[in-house]
Amino acid sequence: MRNLLALLLLAAAASGAEKVTDPLAGLDARELHNRGTQRLAEGDLAGAEEALRASLGRDVDSLRPPALHNLGHVRFGKGKAGLGGRTSGDATELSIARSYLEAADADISDMKDQIELLDKAKAEGREPDYVPATTALGGGINTYRTIKKLIPKEEAMVTKRAGVIALWTRSVGDFRGAHELDAADAQGKANADAIEELLRALRRETVALEEAIEAQRKKLEELRDVIRELVKRIPDDKLPPEAENGDEEEEEDFLPPERRKPKPQIGRAHV
């Protein structure tokens, strides 16, 4: 009985390990091309790419030009989907990045002015007015933390654009290949020319966004230094709440260790 059970288990395992039949395996080049063209018309870009590439793999010369032409549409469509249906990057991404750089410059200027005023009051033996200094410090810290959270999102946008650029570059190659094999495919050449123009614009936008991200990184360092200098000049009871670490663990605490308040212990068991 035990041996019979073991044999049944082995048979079940062997049955589960059987390979799934490739639905495209039995189709010839023409059928694969037609399947890919149909899927493209239906908006199934992944399925269209799979069938068209399989058709090219059958190495039938007469079908290579139309297969490449359709692959050009597939890869352009996939890239366009990566941009949310647009044919260019979102200009607001770069505008937001640049606006925070301008905000950081304004905050740095305000905080430096307050440092100068506090130092002057101290040198003259006067009680400083901490209200504008506290306001400037709070604004600088908020800008610092906003930029710090914004950078990973911008980097993800750059990565997404790089994927689109790769797809559109292949799309151009597909259309140009179709035209080289079939000189009558004037539309293929026109498509390649148009996509190359879109590629140039997208590359320019992406480079500008990368430069803005790098500028933001440097600006964070400058902000951090000025914030810490201003914190040194403001007593604990005058500091804005932003000066201490917020609720999120990744938020930076700008107070030196000796000025930080102990954090409450959560979930501590009673003995």
Side-chain angles (χ1 to χ4, degrees):
M1 183 68 179
R2 187 174 297 173
N3 290 338
L4 178 60
L5 180 59
L7 287 171
L8 289 172
L9 289 172
L10 284 172
S15 176
E18 289 179 1
K19 293 182 179 179
V20 177
T21 304
D22 182 358
L24 302 179
L27 303 180
D28 62 25
R30 172 65 65 182
E31 290 169 329
L32 287 166
H33 179 269
N34 291 342
R35 178 74 60 88
T37 302
Q38 180 183 355
R39 289 177 174 177
L40 174 59
E42 293 170 351
D44 178 8
L45 299 179
E49 183 175 20
E50 179 187 28
L52 291 168
R53 289 181 62 184
S55 176
L56 286 173
R58 299 291 192 270
D59 204 21
V60 176
D61 289 346
S62 62
L63 292 175
R64 293 186 70 80
L68 284 170
H69 186 104
N70 285 342
L71 272 173
H73 283 294
V74 167
R75 286 161 178 161
F76 176 74
K78 290 175 77 173
K80 187 176 177 181
L83 292 176
R86 299 185 303 272
T87 55
S88 64
D90 189 347
T92 58
E93 298 165 357
L94 183 57
S95 297
I96 291 171
R98 287 173 171 168
S99 70
Y100 276 107
L101 284 171
E102 293 171 1
D105 283 333
D107 287 330
I108 288 169
S109 178
D110 288 346
M111 288 188 291
K112 284 183 175 180
D113 287 346
Q114 292 305 314
I115 288 171
E116 185 178 337
L117 290 171
L118 292 176
D119 288 348
K120 183 178 180 182
K122 183 178 180 181
E124 294 174 353
R126 295 184 290 103
E127 176 66 19
D129 181 3
Y130 289 110
V131 173
T134 298
T135 301
L137 178 60
I141 291 173
N142 284 334
T143 298
Y144 176 93
R145 289 177 173 159
T146 299
I147 293 175
K148 190 174 180 181
K149 291 177 181 177
L150 192 62
I151 287 176
K153 297 177 182 178
E154 293 168 340
E155 289 175 329
M157 295 172 191
V158 168
T159 300
K160 181 183 290 186
R161 287 172 178 226
V164 174
I165 288 170
L167 284 165
W168 284 1
T169 300
R170 294 187 70 184
S171 175
V172 169
D174 293 331
F175 282 124
R176 294 223 180 278
H179 180 253
E180 288 171 5
L181 293 172
D182 180 7
D185 186 9
Q187 188 59 54
K189 181 180 183 303
N191 290 346
D193 291 343
I195 297 170
E196 280 190 332
E197 184 61 34
L198 294 175
L199 270 170
R200 282 191 286 271
L202 186 60
R203 287 191 180 106
R204 285 195 300 268
E205 294 171 8
T206 304
V207 168
L209 184 56
E210 288 174 325
E211 290 173 348
I213 292 171
E214 184 59 29
Q216 285 176 332
R217 291 189 184 283
K218 293 178 181 178
K219 196 62 64 178
L220 282 181
E221 295 176 8
E222 190 178 353
L223 266 171
R224 186 191 299 114
D225 292 343
V226 178
I227 287 169
R228 287 176 174 169
E229 284 300 314
L230 184 52
V231 164
K232 292 177 184 177
R233 292 162 170 79
I234 301 178
D236 289 352
D237 63 339
K238 304 292 185 182
L239 286 170
E242 294 91 345
E244 287 197 83
N245 199 347
D247 295 333
E248 300 182 34
E249 289 298 324
E250 69 271 13
E251 287 189 352
E252 187 163 347
D253 195 329
F254 294 98
L255 295 176
E258 65 273 12
R259 293 179 66 182
R260 296 174 189 170
K261 297 177 183 177
K263 296 187 181 298
Q265 298 294 324
I266 300 174
R268 192 172 180 178
H270 296 284
V271 179

